[in-house]
Amino acid sequence: MSAVGAPPKPVPVADERLANISLTARLLRRPEIGALLAAIVVAIFFWTQSSLFLQLDGIANWTDVASTIGIPAVMVALLMIGGEFDLSAGVMTGTAGLTLGVLATEVGLNIWLAIVLTLIGATAIGFANGYMVMKTKLPSFIVTLATFFILQGVNLGVTKLITDQVTVSGIDLAAGYSSANAIFGDSFTSHGFRITVLWWIAITLVATWVLTRTRTGNWIYGVGGDANAARNVGVPVARVKIGLFMATSFVCALTGIMVALRLASTQAGQGVGEEFQYIIAAVVGGCVLTGGFGSAVGAALGATIIGMAFIGIQFSGWNTDWRFLFLGVILLVAVLVNNYIRKRAEGARR
Amino acid sequence: MSATLLETRDVAKYFGNVVALKDISVAVGAGEVTCVLGDNGAGKSTFIKILSGVHRHDEGELLVEGEATHFSNPRDAKERGIATVFQDLATVPLMSIWRNFFLGSEPTKGAGPLRRIDVKGAQATMREELRKMGIDVRDADQPVGTLSGGERQAVAIARAVYFGAKVLILDEPTSALGVKQSGVVLRYIAQARDRGLGVIFITHNPHHAYPVGDRFVILNRGRLAGTWTKDEIGRDELVRQMSGGAELDALEHELRRA
């Protein structure tokens, strides 16, 4: 850290400027540095347990898990940087899969039309989330918790009403399924790499571009860091936040569609509890819970760690229940490390 | 006196049956600093809010460059060249200096989906503008939160000047700062003045106001308690007036006996 991090002391005006910026200070300022180091450590650890872990077949396995967590996690991270939460993100993947299934099987629509309608519906729910948060000024934690339970109830209730089961299946019989599955669901190499991995990388890159290089990205940092200050300089705070909620629901629905196409069916309970994995991925990736700080790449790395843990524990031949313990420990460590880094970044003179 | 940029004539503001401000006449010209002094509850905040477009005044006139105006909102005031720097709500601590500087008005290049912030240009402009205020920024990516309080005020002031402010309203810029840092901010105020801006400096500290001010206005319980130019009043008299004049004498007397 430069002289700026030192405790305040009387200094002449000429010295009120920065000394040289050390490499460590620059690195520590990157939100994703912790997640990158952790990902390397976790990869090496599971590699010592099972050499399959770092072979192509093994990598295909954990990148698959990481991608379906990572796609929503990247958007959840952007939302978190914008200062808001979406607890309905996980159950939204289930809602989208069920909607797609019902539209394609019970209603008999072409799968592509069903996909478009599902995405529109999900974006509308995202708008409702954002609008309520901005209008009521309630914490998004509470508003989206309500959405979470509403969707969970609707998923179960409507599915049972329509199909008499807790599953919608037979999606692969709908018109246009093979072309949709080729783009959203299938694997694309002999090692079984999933196409979702490409989507994951693409969405991470786009999110990074938006966040770091566009005006919208600057506004996301602004509304998350200090909504009042942002409003004072003319940032449309409500529009930015509602847009983030809409994009989050959209991307979660896209994930749900990908999973539903791959499995050709959706369980009514699909996605419940996964919102926490997205949030963990974002936080492990350096997002600050109070907003204003974080990165999309970090969230992708966070999702990678979760994917590696889930598959690594399986490869190592341990009981898979241990993965939750692992998630908890990783989250705790990440929060402590991020807290320390943020204090360094904000400086002691607040 | 130079051309008057911003002036109020007998402005009043009521909240229900509460008289928040009454008969307030204040003016600031280009290259001048008008200090508005007052104790807590004197009506300073309400006055700033009228000048910055947050509140509409109920009586009297608000003149921008001689033309009577009602601001409908803060953006309206900003477009007329009235920039307000609020003490705590000026910058986002976790964001870098250049991102803060351009927040809400980012310069872009490219078109369509490739439209992006001109990062290099933004950083260069920010450095240049802060250099004019006497701050040499070496690391544009440094979070604003790591700057000292005075430097953060400077970023906000430099930003207002860069985006075309003619009148700068500073809300208690020194109240949270130590002696040295306050001096730094006063220097920035003088710099803005020398560059031809009109500055309205709101403070409760006559010791900060006197060195930099050209005109002094004291508010007391929503009324104008006095208006002086610098050659009409000395520092001690300003302090005495600010403290309520006779009240202070009485207090001194009382404390001496106790």
Side-chain angles (χ1 to χ4, degrees):
Chain A
M1 233 11 219
S2 57
V4 163
K9 53 186 175 191
V11 281
V13 174
D15 289 344
E16 286 283 321
R17 42 172 93 157
L18 286 168
N20 290 325
I21 313 131
S22 73
L23 183 67
T24 351
R26 276 193 169 287
L27 278 180
L28 276 180
R29 210 177 282 157
R30 301 296 323 155
E32 59 274 346
I33 191 73
L36 180 64
L37 295 176
I40 294 169
V41 170
V42 171
I44 292 173
F45 172 75
F46 283 116
W47 179 60
T48 62
Q49 300 298 307
S50 158
S51 62
L52 176 62
F53 191 76
L54 287 184
Q55 288 165 20
L56 283 176
D57 289 317
I59 294 174
N61 247 306
W62 55 256
T63 50
D64 178 19
V65 175
S67 68
T68 50
I69 296 170
I71 293 170
V74 164
M75 206 46 237
V76 165
L78 258 59
L79 181 67
M80 206 184 277
I81 295 168
E84 303 293 340
F85 269 108
D86 187 358
L87 289 183
S88 67
V91 75
M92 176 59 74
T93 65
T95 304
L98 293 166
T99 310
L100 176 76
V102 168
L103 289 177
T105 60
E106 302 290 330
V107 183
L109 296 180
N110 180 291
I111 201 91
W112 285 100
L113 182 58
I115 287 174
V116 170
L117 291 177
T118 302
L119 290 174
I120 291 173
T123 311
I125 295 174
F127 175 82
N129 273 339
Y131 186 78
M132 276 190 290
V133 168
M134 294 319 293
K135 207 70 189 167
T136 60
K137 311 227 186 293
L138 287 168
S140 50
F141 188 89
I142 292 299
V143 173
T144 58
L145 185 65
T147 313
F148 168 38
F149 277 98
I150 290 169
L151 288 181
Q152 191 181 6
V154 168
N155 285 1
L156 280 164
V158 173
T159 308
K160 275 188 186 165
L161 268 182
I162 294 179
T163 66
D164 266 334
Q165 294 172 314
V166 286
T167 319
V168 178
S169 52
I171 297 175
D172 49 343
L173 302 176
Y177 173 80
S178 58
S179 60
N181 190 45
I183 289 179
F184 292 117
D186 233 336
S187 51
F188 64 92
T189 66
S190 52
H191 293 284
F193 277 95
R194 284 282 174 182
I195 202 150
T196 48
V197 176
L198 297 183
W199 278 98
W200 176 38
I201 294 170
I203 287 173
T204 306
L205 292 178
V206 170
T208 302
W209 162 266
V210 169
L211 197 55
T212 59
R213 284 293 172 266
T214 68
R215 302 188 68 185
T216 311
N218 213 33
W219 295 354
I220 292 173
Y221 281 121
V223 299
D226 189 335
N228 271 324
R231 195 175 286 119
N232 278 344
V233 292
V235 175
V237 175
R239 229 171 65 200
V240 172
K241 290 199 174 194
I242 292 174
L244 282 170
F245 275 106
M246 290 168 73
T248 305
S249 293
F250 179 91
V251 167
C252 289
L254 192 65
T255 313
I257 288 167
M258 288 171 176
V259 174
L261 286 172
R262 174 197 303 190
L263 302 173
S265 68
T266 307
Q267 302 284 329
Q270 169 76 33
V272 173
E274 287 190 7
E275 59 282 342
F276 289 115
Q277 292 173 16
Y278 310 153
I279 291 171
I280 290 171
V283 171
V284 168
C287 287
V288 171
L289 287 163
T290 46
F293 193 71
S295 83
V297 173
L301 285 168
T304 308
I305 293 173
I306 297 175
M308 288 198 293
F310 282 12
I311 295 300
I313 285 170
Q314 216 170 306
F315 280 6
S316 309
W318 303 332
N319 188 324
T320 50
D321 294 337
W322 288 109
R323 66 191 190 179
F324 293 111
L325 175 91
F326 183 88
L327 272 193
V329 171
I330 278 279
L331 176 63
L332 191 61
V333 172
V335 170
L336 293 175
V337 170
N338 290 345
N339 206 23
Y340 170 76
I341 290 175
R342 187 177 56 131
K343 275 189 187 144
R344 297 286 297 261
E346 268 193 4
R349 297 192 195 178
R350 267 219 76 180
Chain B
M1 191 191 117
S2 54
T4 305
L5 290 175
L6 183 64
E7 186 177 359
T8 63
R9 284 188 195 149
D10 299 328
V11 156
K13 177 73 193 171
Y14 306 98
F15 294 107
N17 54 4
V18 176
V19 183
L21 285 177
K22 180 85 178 151
D23 300 333
I24 306 296
S25 300
V26 173
V28 67
E32 280 185 349
V33 179
T34 297
C35 299
V36 177
L37 294 123
D39 210 342
N40 295 337
K44 299 192 301 276
S45 304
T46 310
F47 187 61
I48 304 168
K49 284 176 180 167
I50 289 173
L51 295 182
S52 61
V54 177
H55 291 329
R56 288 172 71 102
H57 51 283
D58 296 319
E59 282 172 15
E61 282 184 312
L62 177 64
L63 296 99
V64 180
E65 295 176 270
E67 187 189 329
T69 314
H70 266 96
F71 295 135
S72 45
N73 54 46
R75 191 179 293 251
D76 200 12
K78 202 170 284 174
E79 274 161 16
R80 299 293 303 268
I82 318 289
T84 309
V85 176
F86 291 99
Q87 189 198 329
D88 276 337
L89 306 176
T91 53
V92 182
L94 281 169
M95 287 175 85
S96 65
I97 304 175
W98 73 267
R99 282 187 182 274
N100 258 294
F101 193 93
F102 286 100
L103 183 59
S105 318
E106 298 83 356
T108 58
K109 58 182 181 184
L114 287 180
R115 186 160 175 244
R116 59 202 183 273
I117 299 178
D118 178 9
V119 177
K120 286 255 153 59
Q123 292 184 344
T125 309
M126 179 276 291
R127 277 174 207 279
E128 177 57 29
E129 291 303 310
L130 283 176
R131 185 156 36 235
K132 287 184 198 162
M133 306 219 45
I135 299 180
D136 181 10
V137 176
R138 297 203 188 164
D139 181 9
D141 278 321
Q142 187 185 5
V144 157
T146 59
L147 296 176
S148 67
E151 286 169 327
R152 277 155 70 181
Q153 289 283 340
V155 171
I157 294 171
R159 177 173 63 190
V161 173
Y162 176 72
F163 285 109
K166 291 180 207 150
V167 178
L168 200 54
I169 301 170
L170 301 171
D171 176 20
E172 304 261 3
T174 58
S175 68
L177 302 179
V179 177
K180 281 256 156 53
Q181 287 292 322
S182 297
V184 173
V185 169
L186 294 180
R187 196 166 292 138
Y188 299 146
I189 293 174
Q191 248 143 14
R193 173 198 67 199
D194 293 344
R195 292 166 69 182
L197 274 85
V199 180
I200 295 184
F201 174 24
I202 286 126
T203 179
H204 59 248
N205 191 332
H207 298 287
H208 289 165
Y210 195 78
V212 77
D214 297 304
R215 263 191 270 191
F216 305 94
V217 173
I218 292 181
L219 299 184
N220 188 22
R221 299 170 64 87
R223 305 268 176 161
L224 210 56
T227 307
W228 302 269
T229 58
K230 194 159 197 167
D231 44 357
E232 287 169 355
I233 191 167
R235 182 197 301 257
D236 292 344
E237 180 59 15
L238 185 68
V239 174
R240 212 180 78 85
Q241 289 291 343
M242 171 65 199
S243 324
E247 278 174 48
L248 186 70
D249 294 342
L251 181 68
E252 220 168 65
H253 188 58
E254 189 182 320
L255 291 175
R256 198 176 300 142
R257 270 163 45 127

